[in-house]
Amino acid sequence: MAAKEYICKRTFIGRIPHGSDLLNSLTEFVREKRIKLGRLQMIGAVEKAVAGLYDSEAEKYENFVFDKPMEVLSLIGNVSLKDGQPFIHAHITLGDEKGQSFGGHLMEGTIVFAAEFIIEEFEGEDLERIFDKTTGLALWDI
Ligand code: ZN
């Protein structure tokens, strides 16, 4: 295992406007606030959602489109640096009208109905994502 130690700094609690793209809104927020490292959580509802599954053979994401209103039962993620810019990696769990759950890696195209988020910022050494040959992913340089 590899890890670095950080101190909690600022905490932001907020709402994302109705009709916004969820991932783009979160990315804009962390860039505007210069949050280079942190964690996030969000609950609420979406009008539609796009989530992905990483295909390790093809080394790319396969997207699922959920083209209907769903609850966001849970969204968790982190903020770190990629190409020198704050970058969000988040996973979303969605619930439908039968109480069934679906989800995956949060993608652009997920439209907010209502969203309440909490972002905690950490202070310490920068944490940058770098290309990892084994997985084909941009992983933390720890
Ligand atoms: Zn992911």
Side-chain angles (χ1 to χ4, degrees):
M1 291 215 288
K4 292 179 179 177
E5 190 173 332
Y6 294 92
I7 296 165
C8 293
K9 208 174 159 191
R10 298 179 292 177
T11 302
F12 297 89
I13 299 179
R15 265 189 334 117
I16 303 168
H18 179 85
S20 306
D21 184 284
L22 178 56
L23 181 58
N24 291 345
S25 298
L26 289 168
T27 301
E28 273 170 36
F29 184 83
V30 295
R31 289 184 178 176
E32 194 185 293
K33 298 291 180 191
R34 298 303 303 158
I35 300 167
K36 295 194 286 184
L37 188 67
R39 70 169 169 188
L40 70 99
Q41 64 179 66
M42 174 262 178
I43 55 172
V46 291
E47 292 178 347
K48 63 172 279 196
V50 184
L53 171 72
Y54 188 67
D55 179 339
S56 56
E57 298 263 305
E59 295 194 345
K60 66 184 179 88
Y61 282 93
E62 291 300 329
N63 288 355
F64 313 105
V65 178
F66 302 98
D67 202 5
K68 60 180 183 179
M70 297 182 93
E71 286 288 314
V72 178
L73 305 179
S74 174
L75 178 141
I76 60 168
N78 54 59
V79 186
S80 57
L81 295 174
K82 188 178 174 192
D83 302 322
Q85 287 287 325
F87 173 84
I88 284 178
H89 179 199
H91 288 181
I92 189 167
T93 305
L94 301 154
D96 73 4
E97 71 282 1
K98 291 180 182 155
Q100 293 173 312
S101 299
F102 305 90
H105 180 103
L106 179 66
M107 293 290 183
E108 211 178 308
T110 300
I111 306 302
V112 170
F113 180 77
E116 300 174 343
F117 70 86
I118 300 175
I119 295 176
E120 290 173 325
E121 181 186 38
F122 303 135
E123 189 174 46
E125 205 180 317
D126 280 355
L127 186 53
E128 184 87 36
R129 291 185 174 275
I130 54 165
F131 179 74
D132 175 67
K133 279 199 305 245
T134 310
T135 60
L137 291 164
L139 300 179
W140 286 335
D141 183 22
I142 289 183

